[in-house]
């Protein structure tokens, strides 16, 4: 049996983005206030976006409740105390 593993190379890829000059100046100011480089803030923002918008995010906290509709007519019989006592008495 062979086990094949792949190593992920984590190298930085230069990219070019276009944005409004005023937004970039504000971004540079924020970076300077945090004593960081603007590129570092961009990388952090991209990481955060990927984490929050990834299709792989499938934890139970992110699921919305699903309604399957109401009770069918006559379903109240299933909810009677006698039925509960019978079910709980036989199994538990």
């Amino acid at each position: 049996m062979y086990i094949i593993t792949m190593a992920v190379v984590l190298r930085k890829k230069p990219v070019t983005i276009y944005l409004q000059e005023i937004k970039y100046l504000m971004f540079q100011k924020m970076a300077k206030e945090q004593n960081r480089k603007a590129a570092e803030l961009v990388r952090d923002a991209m990481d955060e976006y990927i984490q929050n918008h990834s299709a792989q995010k499938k934890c139970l906290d992110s699921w919305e409740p699903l309604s399957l509709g109401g009770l069918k007519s006559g379903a109240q019989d299933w909810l009677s105390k006698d039925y509960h006592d019978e079910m709980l008495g036989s199994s538990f």
Side-chain angles (χ1 to χ4, degrees), residues 16 22 76 82 88:
T16 301
I22 187 70
Q76 287 76 14
D82 294 335
L88 292 174

Side-chain angles (χ1 to χ4, degrees), residues 30-92:
M30 292 170 62
K32 187 175 183 179
E33 289 171 355
Q34 296 178 30
N35 198 25
R36 299 170 71 190
K37 294 183 179 183
E40 188 178 348
L41 294 183
V42 171
R43 287 191 294 272
D44 288 350
M46 289 179 72
D47 289 342
E48 183 178 324
Y49 186 88
I50 290 169
Q51 182 178 8
N52 292 331
H53 295 87
S54 174
Q56 295 175 354
K57 184 179 179 184
K58 295 291 182 190
C59 69
L60 292 177
D61 293 337
S62 67
W63 289 14
E64 295 292 327
L66 175 66
S67 173
L68 299 176
L71 295 173
K72 292 179 75 175
S73 61
Q76 287 76 14
D77 297 339
W78 289 86
L79 300 175
S80 70
K81 183 176 179 348
D82 294 335
Y83 179 73
H84 284 276
D85 291 343
E86 179 183 333
M87 290 299 291
L88 292 174
S90 65
S91 303
F92 299 98

